[in-house]
Amino acid sequence: MNTVKVSIIGSTGYVGAELVHGFVNHPGVEIKYLTSESFKGQKFSDIYPVYRGICDVELVSTKDVSYDVIGKESDLVITALPHGVSSVAVPQLLDSGCRVIDHSGDFRYKNLDTYEKSYKLDHPHPELLKDAVYGLPELYREQIKTAKLVANPGCYPTCSIVALTPLLKAGLIEKSGIIIDATSGVTGAGRKEKLDYSYCEVDEAFKPYGVVGHRHTTEINEQLSFISGDETGRTIKAAFTPHLAPFRRGMLASIYVRPSASFGEVTTQKVHDALEEYYKNEKFVRVLPVGTLPDVKAVNGGNYIDINGAYDPETDLIKLFSAQDNLGKGAALQAIQAFNVMFGFEEDTALGAMIRGV
Amino acid sequence: MNTVKVSIIGSTGYVGAELVHGFVNHPGVEIKYLTSESFKGQKFSDIYPVYRGICDVELVSTKDVSYDVIGKESDLVITALPHGVSSVAVPQLLDSGCRVIDHSGDFRYKNLDTYEKSYKLDHPHPELLKDAVYGLPELYREQIKTAKLVANPGCYPTCSIVALTPLLKAGLIEKSGIIIDATSGVTGAGRKEKLDYSYCEVDEAFKPYGVVGHRHTTEINEQLSFISGDETGRTIKAAFTPHLAPFRRGMLASIYVRPSASFGEVTTQKVHDALEEYYKNEKFVRVLPVGTLPDVKAVNGGNYIDINGAYDPETDLIKLFSAQDNLGKGAALQAIQAFNVMFGFEEDTALGAMIRGV
Amino acid sequence: MNTVKVSIIGSTGYVGAELVHGFVNHPGVEIKYLTSESFKGQKFSDIYPVYRGICDVELVSTKDVSYDVIGKESDLVITALPHGVSSVAVPQLLDSGCRVIDHSGDFRYKNLDTYEKSYKLDHPHPELLKDAVYGLPELYREQIKTAKLVANPGCYPTCSIVALTPLLKAGLIEKSGIIIDATSGVTGAGRKEKLDYSYCEVDEAFKPYGVVGHRHTTEINEQLSFISGDETGRTIKAAFTPHLAPFRRGMLASIYVRPSASFGEVTTQKVHDALEEYYKNEKFVRVLPVGTLPDVKAVNGGNYIDINGAYDPETDLIKLFSAQDNLGKGAALQAIQAFNVMFGFEEDTALGAMIRGV
Amino acid sequence: MNTVKVSIIGSTGYVGAELVHGFVNHPGVEIKYLTSESFKGQKFSDIYPVYRGICDVELVSTKDVSYDVIGKESDLVITALPHGVSSVAVPQLLDSGCRVIDHSGDFRYKNLDTYEKSYKLDHPHPELLKDAVYGLPELYREQIKTAKLVANPGCYPTCSIVALTPLLKAGLIEKSGIIIDATSGVTGAGRKEKLDYSYCEVDEAFKPYGVVGHRHTTEINEQLSFISGDETGRTIKAAFTPHLAPFRRGMLASIYVRPSASFGEVTTQKVHDALEEYYKNEKFVRVLPVGTLPDVKAVNGGNYIDINGAYDPETDLIKLFSAQDNLGKGAALQAIQAFNVMFGFEEDTALGAMIRGV
């Protein structure tokens, strides 16, 4: 097995650190550069002491080691940068010849105007959108294999899309009126010195935020539109509402959809079977037994996403639930899953160990 | 001010204890009996050491001190008993001459069959349903004043009904297609020796439960039907989905409704104004400023319920949010609010102090 | 009952907010000014939304309303300022004629050099140290009654001193070799935008800090020396080690001391009895029954301090334990207790309600 | 590499589950039997849903599959049973020919009377105590290699002994007057349906327990005596005090010792250097840089133990601190470390991955 040289841009945020976690356990990876603008010169384990003796790599600034150098000395560079920063950095990395997995929203859209309206930014490199591959292996595995640029999906989009795809594909549900109510753990807000995320403010709190116009809404809608056969990516308009809850890691989506008028009688069993059939060959999507509901506890620390559904005859509504670790399948570990696809590793390499029992 | 003699049946559960909390601070109340079958002979403060020196009342069993005796020596008895137990105990208490506030579901319904189907029980005293008053002071204040029996509302129903009432009354929303996604803290499950609620199982967990047919669904629906003018209590069929989150106290409802076709143009401001107008004279319902969303943190420990809404033009959906303390406005403190109404106290007596800053 | 006009300087920190909590429930107090340099112009309830409708006082800056004006219009001013800032502000307030309770370390010492070495500051007004009263009512009640300036004790000193005083006074323990191992909740660090206190960093963490030379060491030592009869305040040298634990409020001290060689046979009962005898008339110090140990849970939200001890014959060591709420008896509520003493209220006015059952 | 067949008796407690976690990641292990008396017939992943698809082994009862059968079909059996149960089960397993690692206190002592007094039990197989090896690889690596029976150390003893050993061996500290103040996360209490460990009781709580005569005291003392050269195991009498804190996993010991009168001048640097020198070849003991203190956060999920010390010249006291995961180095992962030693694997096989970044 050849060793793949991997660098991480922005390695000291929670996503960056989880990438390190995955890669230090990966038998086919050598970590080349870990960058940090805030902590350059320190060791990665100075920032995350749990890594003392495990990853003591010295952090470098991209002001000292250029994207060009990093890209030339790496087979893959993963960028964990804010949107608007990625769109400038990623093209430089690609120019140097490496492949890239990007964690921002900058390359997730096919419709430039949807991106620009959602992020309130002009995209400096719209020409890259066409070939960038949306990094959800369960949907785009073949394209990921050869992609130069993979746009790692957003956390909320991942759990929304994974749950809805089988039912949309099966024609089991209406495309209109989809309601997604989702909740994230606090790492979703990033590693920030902000009062809003301080222990005393977050503990024993629970609240909605960004209830109108959250950016992930358009990402979800574009992908769901593609999945349901609309190549324009503009037909589906799901309503999306995120919440913040007092746990560190994890994300749950509770999704409310109407059965398709044309489908015939719906039951909980049929919903379950459609999910199971669609994902029967997928290792990381676990369709739970009928009657068992997803819990973020059961996906803590790993790349798994647990899904299930129930049909409520009283209201003629299908309720879908999906749980994932927002830093796992929702971010860093899904990127490693895509990495494994890109570089020909078994898709679960380094990811099997990444669970937490209690 | 005369002193009102109050007894609490089932005083060592979390609802019972919160009742004690409220009443020890109430200038017009003398606690007469606190009952507990599990802990009889011990002091209340042995079970909740925080009350040492504050409430050292000795717990009695209703096997030793009968409902008749308790009722005769009390002006008001509050029952915090499981459903099916209350329906047997409450009639005995009423017979003894006292007034009663009951915390179970046994007297919350007007439609006997809805109760019996929801709780899978035969009601031994259906004749009491007619005169029992649903104890939401914001809706039934006049009836509570003179009620012999007040059925304290369920926690999920309280936050659902308080948020939806103004918009239903104003004709602003459709009665069909109401979706209520709600989350409770762990005290909602009661004080139980159960692995499901142990620290290591609940911490860092988040999950839906009872997603089809949760009992509170029919309670919500009957009340919403009454509110929207349907005296049968059977027309509204909201979809209700509860979740359990890792905090001790608090409850949030996120409610999705469609604007009424007949209403004309809807805006966030109009939603807000309808809420504010309806509750302008209510002390415990706080309609937040436009753009500010409820957080369970901000109602922790008290009898307040914070509500607000937003209109999403992309999906033509109104999102309503309400936050309360599940033991506060969702249970014990709402009962004390009703008590104040019943016995002629200022409605916020003993309740003003009941907040937690951090 | 006359109304006492109270102002709070630095009202939006956790100590300031807990002072507000206490005073809004106090029947004899009118809140005059609440100051905040960071949030001036906003309402107090904008910063702490739980107070919406309860305390909507507009925050003022001391740059806009001078200490002189605040002092002249207030009977009492409570300063919740950092050390080094208080020592400048308090003299100005005193000059204006009001009485002052200060929360910093600036006026807690009698030995100027001990203060200056501990805080690495020159004291601008050392002349005030002599008349400032250490605000522990259980020790200095008489002096507090007439004090112009009360120095509210530190949190760690309060729980250390309250536990040790009876045994030192009774000659039951050696003055040398005292070891204090203490743990604080996160509010002890203040309301700060600091990564160290963010949810994801504090949750599931536990660590010692400031293990050599923490400032509270010298405050403890000076007071314990006075208590044990040493007027110089320099003889006792306890070892003090603080820890940070993942809860918001609360503090526990575990104290290890040797029985006095001259005392004769020691037992757990004798330790308990010495504590109980000493505090038999104190409402807020609760000596637990033999065999029951303090828990921060049981003092959460209130002004109580629970203490107890055990004698270990195997090691000839007395273990003392004291639990308090670090914002309660450890800070704001102890200040309100002192306020009640200063202004002739019942000592538990407004404080009885301040507990949390669960 | 040959595959070692491993069975776990009592696999559904937290220690058992963490053993499974480690072994599913171990390249040289086949899990043969997982036993559970409470959950027989179910899959391991039914009890811990996070393992769905990772470990779906069916749980068996030892009433259905005897110790003899389990032992004969396994190379190693790990028992995670209560004390008093292990002492009966382990001899049967040994008789069947397998090697055993036991998690109870039943085989940790050399002095039978110390065990029997500490555990208030008669030992049915005292003849096994002599050859049982105390499973701390850093102290007994050579004996573990060939041991038939390894007694996995207690959690509190592990962190106490690892911190104190270098200083005792170096003659740096007095053997008398050792004080150990330690705190455990809630998994330390086991997976139990007990109100004491329910979320609402543990959250926002912190308390000492078992402050006189906790069983781990004698285990610590026997080992420290051996380490300091006393073959009787009876000379050292440390004072030990445990506490329970609101986190799931982790343990911190804060240890107070006096410098040896004969050692000469002590400094923090010398303390640090003695620790570092002693453990310079140990992978899992991390001596932190001078001035950096252990935090349970930094050992969460893994087999590492972080230690450091500080000398306080004011009190002439050395403060030692050690942090470990109570289920990691404090229990299951230390057992896997010993397993690696017993069966000739690299000592960190399967353990490198076992950390948690956030």
Side-chain angles (χ1 to χ4, degrees):
Chain A
M1 185 159 51
N2 280 332
T3 296
V4 180
K5 287 181 193 128
V6 172
S7 294
I8 303 169
I9 309 296
S11 63
T12 59
Y14 291 135
V15 170
E18 195 63 14
L19 288 165
V20 171
H21 190 188
F23 282 127
V24 293
N25 292 320
H26 198 297
V29 165
E30 177 196 342
I31 293 179
K32 190 74 191 169
Y33 289 107
L34 298 181
T35 85
S36 167
E37 303 310 309
S38 314
F39 302 109
K40 72 162 185 166
Q42 295 189 61
K43 290 184 289 184
F44 181 76
S45 56
D46 291 333
I47 312 309
Y48 289 94
V50 71
Y51 287 92
R52 199 179 299 270
I54 299 165
C55 179
D56 297 315
V57 172
E58 189 184 315
L59 302 164
V60 298
S61 164
T62 57
K63 296 198 183 86
D64 298 325
V65 185
S66 71
Y67 287 128
D68 188 56
V69 169
I70 294 170
K72 287 209 165 92
E73 300 187 18
S74 308
D75 299 303
L76 178 86
V77 177
I78 308 199
T79 43
L81 294 169
H83 56 265
V85 180
S86 268
S87 58
V88 174
V90 165
Q92 298 177 54
L93 288 162
L94 289 171
D95 282 350
S96 76
C98 65
R99 298 167 83 181
V100 173
I101 299 175
D102 178 54
H103 274 277
S104 82
D106 289 349
F107 300 98
R108 293 180 190 154
Y109 292 80
K110 294 302 167 202
N111 283 305
L112 176 64
D113 61 326
T114 308
Y115 167 79
E116 293 191 336
K117 255 177 81 179
S118 300
Y119 284 81
K120 298 179 174 58
L121 285 171
D122 291 329
H123 201 301
H125 289 276
E127 76 281 3
L128 291 172
L129 295 184
K130 189 167 61 68
D131 292 330
V133 176
Y134 195 70
L136 200 62
E138 288 77 9
L139 293 182
Y140 299 104
R141 184 169 285 116
E142 285 312 306
Q143 297 92 316
I144 290 169
K145 281 182 185 168
T146 56
K148 289 289 287 178
L149 169 56
V150 168
N152 202 56
C155 48
Y156 288 119
T158 295
C159 58
S160 303
I161 294 164
V162 167
L164 284 161
T165 294
L167 304 192
L168 284 170
K169 293 267 191 190
L172 216 153
I173 56 172
E174 293 290 334
K175 296 176 194 175
S176 67
I178 297 171
I179 289 176
I180 302 166
D181 183 293
T183 297
S184 174
V186 189
T187 50
R191 194 167 186 261
K192 285 182 194 142
E193 303 221 314
K194 216 172 150 195
L195 197 57
D196 287 14
Y197 306 116
S198 78
Y199 186 82
C200 298
E201 304 299 317
V202 168
D203 190 49
E204 207 71 4
F206 182 67
K207 62 176 173 188
Y209 67 96
V211 302
V212 174
H214 187 284
R215 283 170 189 135
H216 283 177
T217 312
T218 52
E219 183 183 334
I220 292 167
N221 286 339
E222 191 180 87
Q223 284 297 322
L224 292 183
S225 296
F226 291 154
I227 288 156
S228 63
D230 164 35
E231 287 180 23
T232 71
R234 297 177 192 278
T235 46
I236 286 192
K237 291 198 172 180
F240 169 66
T241 312
H243 300 71
L244 183 74
F247 46 84
R248 299 195 307 281
R249 297 171 63 136
M251 176 168 282
L252 185 92
S254 299
I255 304 172
Y256 306 98
V257 288
R258 304 238 157 251
S260 170
S262 62
F263 181 81
E265 201 194 359
V266 174
T267 62
T268 293
Q269 185 72 47
K270 283 185 191 169
V271 172
H272 172 270
D273 292 352
L275 299 173
E276 193 159 77
E277 172 62 20
Y278 193 83
Y279 291 118
K280 64 185 172 199
N281 296 319
E282 293 294 342
K283 182 177 178 77
F284 290 114
V285 183
R286 301 189 297 199
V287 181
L288 304 184
V290 169
T292 300
L293 296 169
D295 181 346
V296 299
K297 186 85 169 183
V299 291
N300 192 246
N303 189 47
Y304 293 87
I305 179 163
D306 288 356
I307 61 175
N308 211 349
Y311 174 68
D312 179 13
E314 282 296 308
T315 57
D316 190 30
L317 207 64
I318 295 168
K319 303 179 177 186
L320 283 174
F321 304 96
S322 60
Q324 67 183 6
D325 187 318
N326 61 304
L327 294 180
K329 184 68 176 168
L333 302 191
Q334 172 149 268
I336 294 179
Q337 183 186 358
F339 165 84
N340 285 333
V341 172
M342 291 170 84
F343 287 86
F345 295 100
E346 286 295 313
E347 203 163 315
D348 65 347
T349 309
L351 298 173
M354 308 280 291
I355 52 163
R356 298 175 176 194
V358 65
Chain B
M1 183 159 49
N2 281 332
T3 295
V4 180
K5 287 179 194 130
V6 173
S7 294
I8 302 169
I9 310 296
S11 63
T12 58
Y14 291 134
V15 170
E18 194 64 13
L19 288 165
V20 171
H21 191 187
F23 283 127
V24 294
N25 292 321
H26 198 296
V29 165
E30 175 196 343
I31 293 178
K32 191 72 193 170
Y33 290 107
L34 299 181
T35 85
S36 167
E37 303 310 309
S38 315
F39 303 109
K40 74 163 183 166
Q42 297 188 60
K43 291 183 288 185
F44 181 76
S45 56
D46 292 332
I47 312 309
Y48 289 94
V50 70
Y51 287 92
R52 200 180 297 270
I54 299 164
C55 179
D56 298 315
V57 172
E58 188 185 315
L59 302 165
V60 299
S61 164
T62 57
K63 296 196 182 86
D64 298 326
V65 186
S66 70
Y67 287 129
D68 188 57
V69 169
I70 294 170
K72 287 208 165 92
E73 300 187 18
S74 309
D75 300 304
L76 177 85
V77 177
I78 308 200
T79 43
L81 293 168
H83 57 265
V85 180
S86 267
S87 59
V88 174
V90 165
Q92 298 176 55
L93 288 162
L94 290 171
D95 282 350
S96 76
C98 66
R99 298 168 82 183
V100 173
I101 299 175
D102 178 53
H103 274 276
S104 81
D106 288 350
F107 300 98
R108 292 179 189 154
Y109 291 80
K110 295 302 168 203
N111 284 304
L112 176 64
D113 60 326
T114 308
Y115 166 80
E116 294 191 336
K117 255 177 79 179
S118 300
Y119 284 82
K120 298 179 175 56
L121 284 172
D122 290 330
H123 201 301
H125 289 276
E127 76 281 2
L128 292 172
L129 295 184
K130 191 169 58 70
D131 293 331
V133 177
Y134 195 71
L136 200 61
E138 288 77 8
L139 293 182
Y140 299 104
R141 185 169 284 116
E142 285 311 306
Q143 297 92 313
I144 290 169
K145 282 181 184 167
T146 57
K148 289 288 287 177
L149 170 56
V150 168
N152 202 56
C155 47
Y156 289 119
T158 295
C159 59
S160 303
I161 294 164
V162 168
L164 283 161
T165 294
L167 304 194
L168 284 170
K169 294 266 192 191
L172 216 151
I173 56 172
E174 293 291 333
K175 297 176 194 177
S176 67
I178 297 172
I179 289 176
I180 303 166
D181 182 294
T183 297
S184 175
V186 189
T187 50
R191 194 167 185 260
K192 284 183 196 142
E193 301 221 314
K194 219 177 146 192
L195 197 57
D196 288 15
Y197 307 117
S198 77
Y199 185 82
C200 298
E201 304 299 316
V202 168
D203 189 48
E204 206 72 2
F206 183 67
K207 62 177 173 188
Y209 67 97
V211 301
V212 175
H214 188 283
R215 283 169 190 135
H216 283 176
T217 312
T218 52
E219 182 182 334
I220 293 167
N221 285 339
E222 192 180 87
Q223 284 297 321
L224 292 183
S225 296
F226 291 153
I227 289 156
S228 62
D230 163 35
E231 289 181 21
T232 72
R234 296 177 193 278
T235 45
I236 286 193
K237 291 198 173 181
F240 168 65
T241 311
H243 300 70
L244 182 74
F247 47 83
R248 297 196 308 281
R249 298 171 63 136
M251 177 168 282
L252 184 93
S254 298
I255 304 173
Y256 306 99
V257 289
R258 305 236 156 252
S260 169
S262 63
F263 183 81
E265 201 194 359
V266 175
T267 63
T268 292
Q269 186 72 48
K270 283 185 189 169
V271 172
H272 172 270
D273 292 352
L275 299 173
E276 193 159 78
E277 173 61 23
Y278 192 83
Y279 291 119
K280 66 185 171 200
N281 297 320
E282 294 294 342
K283 182 179 177 74
F284 291 113
V285 183
R286 301 189 295 199
V287 181
L288 304 184
V290 169
T292 300
L293 296 169
D295 182 346
V296 299
K297 186 86 171 182
V299 291
N300 193 247
N303 190 47
Y304 293 87
I305 180 164
D306 287 357
I307 60 175
N308 212 348
Y311 174 68
D312 178 13
E314 282 295 310
T315 57
D316 190 30
L317 206 63
I318 295 169
K319 302 178 178 187
L320 283 173
F321 304 95
S322 60
Q324 67 183 7
D325 188 318
N326 61 305
L327 294 180
K329 184 68 176 169
L333 301 191
Q334 173 148 269
I336 294 178
Q337 183 186 358
F339 164 86
N340 285 333
V341 173
M342 291 169 84
F343 287 86
F345 295 101
E346 287 294 315
E347 203 164 314
D348 65 346
T349 310
L351 298 173
M354 307 281 289
I355 52 162
R356 298 176 177 193
V358 66
Chain C
M1 184 158 53
N2 281 331
T3 295
V4 181
K5 287 178 192 132
V6 172
S7 294
I8 302 170
I9 311 296
S11 63
T12 58
Y14 291 134
V15 170
E18 194 62 14
L19 287 165
V20 170
H21 190 188
F23 283 126
V24 293
N25 292 320
H26 198 296
V29 165
E30 176 197 342
I31 293 178
K32 192 73 195 170
Y33 289 108
L34 299 181
T35 85
S36 167
E37 303 311 309
S38 316
F39 303 110
K40 72 161 185 167
Q42 296 189 61
K43 290 184 288 184
F44 181 76
S45 56
D46 291 333
I47 312 307
Y48 290 94
V50 71
Y51 287 93
R52 200 179 298 268
I54 300 165
C55 178
D56 298 315
V57 173
E58 187 184 317
L59 302 165
V60 298
S61 163
T62 57
K63 296 196 183 87
D64 299 326
V65 186
S66 71
Y67 287 128
D68 188 57
V69 169
I70 294 170
K72 286 210 167 90
E73 299 186 19
S74 308
D75 299 304
L76 177 85
V77 177
I78 308 200
T79 42
L81 294 168
H83 57 266
V85 180
S86 268
S87 59
V88 174
V90 166
Q92 298 176 54
L93 289 162
L94 290 172
D95 282 349
S96 76
C98 66
R99 297 168 83 183
V100 173
I101 300 176
D102 177 55
H103 273 277
S104 81
D106 289 350
F107 300 98
R108 292 180 189 154
Y109 291 80
K110 294 303 167 199
N111 283 304
L112 175 65
D113 60 327
T114 308
Y115 167 79
E116 294 192 334
K117 255 176 80 178
S118 300
Y119 284 80
K120 297 181 176 59
L121 285 172
D122 291 329
H123 201 301
H125 288 276
E127 75 282 1
L128 291 172
L129 295 185
K130 191 167 60 68
D131 292 330
V133 176
Y134 195 71
L136 200 62
E138 288 77 8
L139 293 182
Y140 299 103
R141 184 170 284 117
E142 285 311 306
Q143 297 92 314
I144 290 169
K145 282 182 184 167
T146 56
K148 290 288 288 177
L149 169 56
V150 167
N152 203 55
C155 48
Y156 289 120
T158 294
C159 59
S160 303
I161 294 164
V162 167
L164 283 161
T165 294
L167 304 193
L168 283 169
K169 293 267 191 190
L172 217 152
I173 56 172
E174 293 291 335
K175 297 176 193 175
S176 67
I178 297 171
I179 289 175
I180 302 165
D181 182 292
T183 296
S184 175
V186 188
T187 50
R191 194 167 187 261
K192 284 182 195 143
E193 303 222 312
K194 218 176 147 190
L195 196 59
D196 288 14
Y197 306 116
S198 78
Y199 186 81
C200 298
E201 305 297 317
V202 167
D203 189 48
E204 207 70 3
F206 183 67
K207 63 177 173 186
Y209 66 96
V211 301
V212 174
H214 188 283
R215 281 167 191 138
H216 283 176
T217 312
T218 53
E219 182 183 335
I220 292 167
N221 286 339
E222 191 179 89
Q223 284 297 322
L224 292 183
S225 296
F226 291 154
I227 288 157
S228 62
D230 164 34
E231 289 182 21
T232 71
R234 297 178 192 277
T235 47
I236 286 191
K237 292 199 171 178
F240 169 65
T241 312
H243 300 71
L244 183 74
F247 46 84
R248 298 196 306 282
R249 297 171 63 135
M251 177 167 284
L252 185 92
S254 298
I255 305 173
Y256 306 98
V257 289
R258 305 238 155 250
S260 170
S262 63
F263 182 80
E265 203 194 355
V266 175
T267 62
T268 292
Q269 186 71 50
K270 283 184 191 172
V271 171
H272 172 270
D273 292 352
L275 299 172
E276 193 158 78
E277 173 60 23
Y278 192 83
Y279 290 118
K280 66 186 171 198
N281 296 320
E282 293 294 342
K283 183 180 177 74
F284 290 114
V285 183
R286 302 190 293 199
V287 181
L288 304 183
V290 169
T292 300
L293 296 170
D295 181 346
V296 300
K297 186 87 169 181
V299 291
N300 193 246
N303 190 45
Y304 293 86
I305 179 164
D306 287 357
I307 60 174
N308 211 349
Y311 174 68
D312 179 13
E314 282 295 307
T315 56
D316 191 31
L317 207 64
I318 295 168
K319 302 178 177 188
L320 283 174
F321 304 96
S322 60
Q324 68 183 5
D325 188 318
N326 61 304
L327 294 180
K329 184 69 177 167
L333 302 191
Q334 173 148 268
I336 294 178
Q337 183 186 0
F339 165 84
N340 285 333
V341 172
M342 291 169 84
F343 286 86
F345 295 100
E346 287 295 313
E347 203 163 315
D348 64 348
T349 309
L351 298 173
M354 308 279 291
I355 52 161
R356 298 177 177 193
V358 66
Chain D
M1 183 158 51
N2 281 331
T3 295
V4 181
K5 287 178 192 132
V6 173
S7 295
I8 302 170
I9 311 297
S11 63
T12 58
Y14 292 133
V15 170
E18 194 63 14
L19 288 166
V20 171
H21 190 188
F23 283 126
V24 295
N25 292 320
H26 198 297
V29 165
E30 176 196 342
I31 292 180
K32 190 73 194 169
Y33 289 107
L34 298 181
T35 85
S36 167
E37 302 311 309
S38 316
F39 302 110
K40 73 162 184 166
Q42 297 188 60
K43 289 183 289 184
F44 181 77
S45 56
D46 291 332
I47 312 310
Y48 289 94
V50 70
Y51 287 93
R52 201 179 297 270
I54 299 165
C55 178
D56 297 315
V57 173
E58 188 185 316
L59 301 165
V60 298
S61 164
T62 57
K63 294 196 184 87
D64 298 326
V65 185
S66 70
Y67 287 129
D68 188 57
V69 168
I70 294 170
K72 286 209 168 92
E73 299 186 17
S74 308
D75 300 304
L76 178 86
V77 177
I78 308 201
T79 43
L81 294 168
H83 56 265
V85 180
S86 268
S87 59
V88 174
V90 165
Q92 298 176 54
L93 289 163
L94 289 172
D95 281 351
S96 75
C98 66
R99 298 167 83 182
V100 173
I101 299 175
D102 178 55
H103 273 277
S104 81
D106 289 349
F107 300 98
R108 291 179 190 153
Y109 292 79
K110 295 303 167 199
N111 284 303
L112 175 64
D113 60 326
T114 308
Y115 167 79
E116 294 192 335
K117 256 176 78 178
S118 300
Y119 282 81
K120 298 181 175 59
L121 284 172
D122 291 328
H123 201 301
H125 288 277
E127 75 281 1
L128 291 172
L129 296 184
K130 191 168 60 70
D131 292 331
V133 176
Y134 195 72
L136 201 61
E138 288 77 9
L139 292 182
Y140 298 103
R141 185 169 285 116
E142 285 310 309
Q143 296 93 314
I144 290 169
K145 283 182 184 167
T146 56
K148 290 287 288 177
L149 170 55
V150 167
N152 202 54
C155 49
Y156 288 119
T158 294
C159 59
S160 302
I161 294 165
V162 167
L164 283 161
T165 294
L167 304 193
L168 283 170
K169 292 268 192 189
L172 216 152
I173 56 172
E174 293 290 334
K175 297 175 194 177
S176 67
I178 297 171
I179 289 175
I180 302 166
D181 183 293
T183 297
S184 175
V186 188
T187 50
R191 193 165 187 263
K192 286 184 195 139
E193 302 223 313
K194 219 176 147 190
L195 197 58
D196 288 15
Y197 307 116
S198 78
Y199 186 82
C200 299
E201 304 298 317
V202 167
D203 190 48
E204 206 73 2
F206 184 66
K207 62 177 171 185
Y209 66 97
V211 302
V212 175
H214 187 284
R215 282 169 190 136
H216 282 177
T217 312
T218 53
E219 183 183 334
I220 293 167
N221 286 338
E222 192 180 87
Q223 284 298 321
L224 292 183
S225 297
F226 291 154
I227 288 156
S228 63
D230 164 35
E231 289 181 20
T232 71
R234 295 177 192 281
T235 46
I236 286 191
K237 291 196 172 182
F240 169 65
T241 311
H243 300 70
L244 183 74
F247 47 83
R248 298 196 308 281
R249 299 172 61 137
M251 176 168 284
L252 185 92
S254 299
I255 305 173
Y256 306 98
V257 289
R258 304 238 157 251
S260 170
S262 62
F263 182 82
E265 203 195 355
V266 175
T267 63
T268 292
Q269 186 71 47
K270 283 183 190 172
V271 171
H272 173 271
D273 291 352
L275 298 173
E276 193 159 77
E277 172 62 21
Y278 192 83
Y279 290 118
K280 65 185 170 197
N281 296 320
E282 293 295 342
K283 181 177 178 76
F284 290 114
V285 183
R286 301 190 294 199
V287 181
L288 304 183
V290 169
T292 300
L293 295 170
D295 182 345
V296 299
K297 186 86 170 183
V299 292
N300 193 247
N303 189 47
Y304 293 87
I305 178 164
D306 288 356
I307 61 174
N308 211 349
Y311 174 68
D312 178 12
E314 282 296 307
T315 57
D316 191 29
L317 206 65
I318 295 168
K319 302 178 177 187
L320 282 174
F321 304 95
S322 60
Q324 68 183 6
D325 188 316
N326 61 305
L327 293 180
K329 184 68 177 169
L333 302 191
Q334 172 148 266
I336 293 178
Q337 183 187 359
F339 165 84
N340 285 333
V341 172
M342 290 170 85
F343 286 86
F345 295 101
E346 287 294 314
E347 203 163 316
D348 64 346
T349 309
L351 298 173
M354 308 279 289
I355 52 162
R356 299 176 176 193
V358 65

